[in-house]
Every structure is written in structure tokens, then in C-alpha cells.
Amino acid sequence: MNFLSTESLARGSARHPWVTVGIWVLALVLSVFLTATYLGDALTMEDRSTNNPESQRASELLKDGFKDLDKRTETVVIDSKLNVDDQEYAAFTNSLTEDLAGLGAKVVAEPVSYFQTGSPAMVSKDKHTIIIPLTLGGKAARAQENLEEIQAVLHKADKDRRFDIMIVGKTSLNKSFQEVSENDLATGEMYGILVAVVILTLVFGTLISAAIPIILAIVAIIAAVGATAVVGQSFELSFFIVNMITMMGLAVGIDYSLFIVSRFREELAKGLDVIEAITVTGATASRAVFFSGMMVLLALVGMLIVPHTIFKSLGAGAILVVIFAILASLTLLPAVLRLMGTRVNSLRIPCMGRKASKNVDPNKGLWHTAAKSVMRHPIISLVFTLTILVTLIVPYSNIELGSDMGPATL
């Protein structure tokens, strides 16, 4: 038996379940430590092209020639039904400008409005909307903290229902992206896991069997985030990577363990003892998971080719979590199944799921027929598949990347 085969890994993990689980627990503890200590520094809200296009070279030349361009700027937009010729409009704006100036030069550098400059460029043609250009003070690294202090002042002023206040700029846009990302992450985790639990319970009919794939997916996610904290010390990674890890982790973690647990239950139903059932599962379902995972990884490498930090980050996150999902499926899952044994069928819910049958015929079914057809006609199947893939790849030659920045409503 090959020591590195999926069968030997499954048997070895099953024979030493507590050692295997212990190693994974240590790995998770390390991942949590790395995440808490280094993840904040590993991720960035910046995004840029990595192939140094003309636009980026032009931007760098402008920064070299005009040092002020390197400063972080924001624009406050004030809109009202009042006209700028009204004293109330002037009084409100002057008060807001003074409050912003009161934050100090380290936060915002000398804010001025239309009422100080009289510049027609700072007021709309209908005289209902004005802007207050702001230059964030201090170093670029403090832009986020400075923006939060500015927004606190704007929130207070925005309580006056006569005026609508908005702010637009790269820092505020990045902050909005981060908040949306965090909210989506929390929503995805909550609803994604709930939906997965319901579906798995319907499939298995037992709460124990339904819980195992969820646990494996969470393990893969935690480990991948910890690895991201390390990788991010050497490579520029977007904060969107965490969303990708969560999404892909739930998908592949549940998918792989669902396949393995189903096969394990079938082998138990045939009368095999726990160790032998795990061994047979390792030689069949686990092997399929391994090769499936390799194909997924190969496909995801394509995202690393796209010359943009966000795409590269999404690809890196997906690759990391798939690697840990495969490792957990091949080692941790057999150990867990060994510890659970026949209790994997415990907590059965009446009228839900189907019992694993010992009369499953491997030579029947849709996928058996499809696999035999492919093996009978490998050249035709290969040409057909490549034709579809090439057709899908062609539009990439005309891909256009960009971003559309708009004002952030307070």
C-alpha cells in the first residue's frame, strides 16, 4: 500500500484518531494566533494593476512631479432646498467648516467652502449644492482614522434636516467597501451555514452526519485565514480575500466531506467494521475528492494570471482554502469518523433523509453511464470539453478593468 495514497492516509488517520485530531487542533490554535496578530497588517484596501500599465505609469509620474497629489483628498457635498444666497445656508456651512477646522491640521488641512472663496467651481448652477474640498492631514497610513473623525463631525451636522451631506473620495470609498465586505461576510456565514445545515439534514436525515461537513468547512476556513496572515506579510492581499475564503471554504469543505461521509455510511451498511469502512472510503471517495481538488486548484491558478491585486487575492484565498479542505478531508475527517463510528447515524430525524443501503449497485446510475461514455470516446470527449472551455476563455481577451467612485451618503 502506497504510504501517500488516500487509502493509507485514511487508514492511518483512523488508527490514530486522537493524534490526528490533536495535530489539527494545534494547527487551528496557531491559525487563530496568526490571524489575531498579523491579519490586520497582511490585508490592504488598496487595489492596483500589477502589469504596470500606462495609466499607472502616468499616475506615478504625476506623483513624482506634484508631491501634493500624494495627499489623501476628500470632497464634502452639501445639498439643500435652500439657495446659497440664503443666510441660513451660509451660517450652516460656515459652522460646519469651523468644526472641521477644529479637528486640527493633523486630521484635516484648512477646509474652506464657497462662502470663503466665492469660487463658482464650488457651487452648482442652480445654487443649491456646494462642495468643501478636504485634504486629510498627517501620513497616508492614518487616512482611515482621520476620515472617521471627519465623519463624526459630518454625522452631527447631518441631523439638520434642511441639508443633505455626503462625502466622496478614495479613502471614504475604501471604507465603504470594507464595511460592505464585513457585512456581507457576516450575512454569508450566518445564512450560508443555516441553509447548509437544513440541506445536509434533509440529505442525511441525522443531525450528527449533517454537522460533520459544517465542522470540516469551518476548520478549512480558519486554517486558510491563518495562512493568509502569513502570506500577506510578503505579498499584497486585498481584504476581499476573507470573503472568498469563507465562500469557497463552505462550498468545497461541505462538498468534499458530504461525499466521503455518504460513502462511509454506505460501507457501514454493507456490514464492514469502522476501520475497514474508512479504508474503503479512502480508496474510493477520498481519491475522487483528491483529484477533484487538484482540478479545482489548477482552475483557480488562472485567477493569479489576471494582472490586478484584487483578482490575485481572490485566487490566492480560494487556493489556500481548497488546499486545507482537501487536507482536512483526507486526514481529519477519517479520524472524526473513527471516533464517531456507528454513531454517525445518531440523532435521526423521522421522515427525513434516506438510510444508507447495502444494495447500492455501482454499475448503474447517471454518472456511471456518463463515465463509461467518456471512456469509450476519449478523443471526442476531450475535443468537446476543450471547445467549450476555449469558447468561454475568448471573451477574456477584451476584458476591461476599472472602478466607478461615487459619493458616500452619511
Side-chain angles (χ1 to χ4, degrees):
M1 183 185 298
N2 188 342
F3 176 73
L4 293 179
S5 69
T6 56
E7 180 181 357
S8 61
L9 282 175
R11 180 182 287 274
S13 300
R15 284 180 171 175
H16 308 283
W18 287 114
V19 173
T20 305
V21 171
I23 292 173
W24 274 97
V25 169
L26 290 176
L28 292 181
V29 171
L30 177 60
S31 296
V32 171
F33 170 76
L34 293 173
T35 299
T37 307
Y38 299 109
L39 186 62
D41 297 331
L43 305 183
T44 177
M45 291 188 294
E46 301 292 334
D47 63 274
R48 62 179 181 83
S49 297
T50 58
N51 60 342
N52 199 27
E54 291 183 357
S55 59
Q56 187 165 313
R57 295 199 298 270
S59 178
E60 291 172 355
L61 288 173
L62 286 172
K63 288 181 180 180
D64 291 338
F66 303 93
K67 299 299 182 183
D68 286 345
L69 289 178
D70 195 35
K71 295 181 179 179
R72 296 300 182 103
T73 58
E74 296 286 320
T75 301
V76 175
V77 181
I78 303 177
D79 182 64
S80 175
K81 292 182 179 179
L82 298 175
N83 190 287
V84 293
D85 296 327
D86 295 330
Q87 290 296 323
E88 295 172 274
Y89 206 135
F92 175 84
T93 304
N94 289 334
S95 176
L96 176 58
T97 305
E98 290 175 3
D99 290 342
L100 290 171
L103 295 174
K106 290 184 177 180
V107 177
V108 58
E110 299 181 359
V112 293
S113 71
Y114 164 76
F115 297 103
Q116 280 81 46
T117 66
S119 171
M122 301 177 72
V123 62
S124 64
K125 290 183 179 179
D126 62 8
K127 293 189 174 183
H128 289 288
T129 306
I130 66 169
I131 62 172
I132 303 177
L134 302 178
T135 299
L136 302 185
K139 297 181 180 180
R142 278 195 51 83
Q144 184 93 2
E145 291 81 357
N146 292 343
L147 178 64
E148 291 175 357
E149 293 189 47
I150 292 170
Q151 287 183 324
V153 172
L154 298 181
H155 275 296
K156 182 178 179 181
D158 196 47
K159 293 179 181 179
D160 191 326
R161 296 184 178 276
R162 298 172 300 170
F163 301 91
D164 290 324
I165 303 177
M166 295 167 284
I167 186 169
V168 61
K170 188 172 183 179
T171 304
S172 57
L173 180 67
N174 286 340
K175 185 172 182 290
S176 296
F177 278 155
Q178 184 177 20
E179 291 172 350
V180 170
S181 174
E182 291 173 350
N183 290 335
D184 288 348
L185 185 62
T187 302
E189 288 177 341
M190 180 176 66
Y191 290 105
I193 291 177
L194 286 177
V195 171
V197 168
V198 172
I199 293 175
L200 289 169
T201 303
L202 289 173
V203 171
F204 287 125
T206 72
L207 293 179
I208 296 297
S209 296
I212 292 176
I214 300 295
I215 294 172
L216 265 291
I218 293 174
V219 167
I221 291 170
I222 294 174
V225 173
T228 298
V230 176
V231 174
Q233 303 304 312
S234 302
F235 299 93
E236 188 175 354
L237 297 177
S238 167
F239 63 91
F240 285 119
I241 191 174
V242 180
N243 295 66
M244 175 59 83
I245 287 174
T246 302
M247 179 180 66
M248 285 294 294
L250 286 174
V252 297
I254 291 174
D255 182 41
Y256 294 163
S257 52
L258 169 63
F259 188 36
I260 292 173
V261 171
S262 296
R263 184 55 185 264
F264 172 69
R265 295 174 73 220
E266 289 177 1
E267 298 305 325
L268 285 181
K270 293 177 182 179
L272 295 182
D273 63 34
V274 173
I275 294 292
E276 286 305 312
I278 292 173
T279 302
V280 173
T281 300
T284 52
S286 296
R287 182 178 298 174
V289 164
F290 174 76
F291 284 103
S292 173
M294 291 301 103
M295 293 302 100
V296 171
L297 291 175
L298 182 61
L300 289 172
V301 169
M303 294 190 69
L304 301 180
I305 300 174
V306 182
H308 199 279
T309 53
I310 289 182
F311 286 96
K312 289 181 179 293
S313 298
L314 295 178
I319 288 172
L320 286 173
V321 78
V322 170
I323 289 174
F324 283 107
I326 294 172
L327 291 175
S329 298
L330 299 184
T331 58
L332 179 59
L333 184 52
V336 172
L337 293 177
R338 170 66 177 84
L339 295 174
M340 296 302 302
T342 56
R343 288 174 295 178
V344 74
N345 293 318
S346 301
L347 301 181
R348 176 169 294 280
I349 299 177
C351 303
M352 296 185 78
R354 63 182 181 83
K355 292 183 179 181
S357 174
K358 62 181 179 180
N359 297 318
V360 175
D361 188 349
N363 296 316
K364 291 183 179 180
L366 172 63
W367 298 116
H368 172 77
T369 303
K372 287 190 68 174
S373 176
V374 169
M375 289 187 287
R376 283 198 193 103
H377 310 285
I379 302 299
I380 296 176
S381 301
L382 178 63
V383 172
F384 176 74
T385 304
L386 287 178
T387 300
I388 295 176
L389 292 176
V390 171
T391 302
L392 294 174
I393 290 172
V394 168
Y396 173 73
S397 61
N398 297 320
I399 190 173
E400 295 183 7
L401 303 176
S403 61
D404 182 16
M405 300 200 319
T409 305
L410 295 173

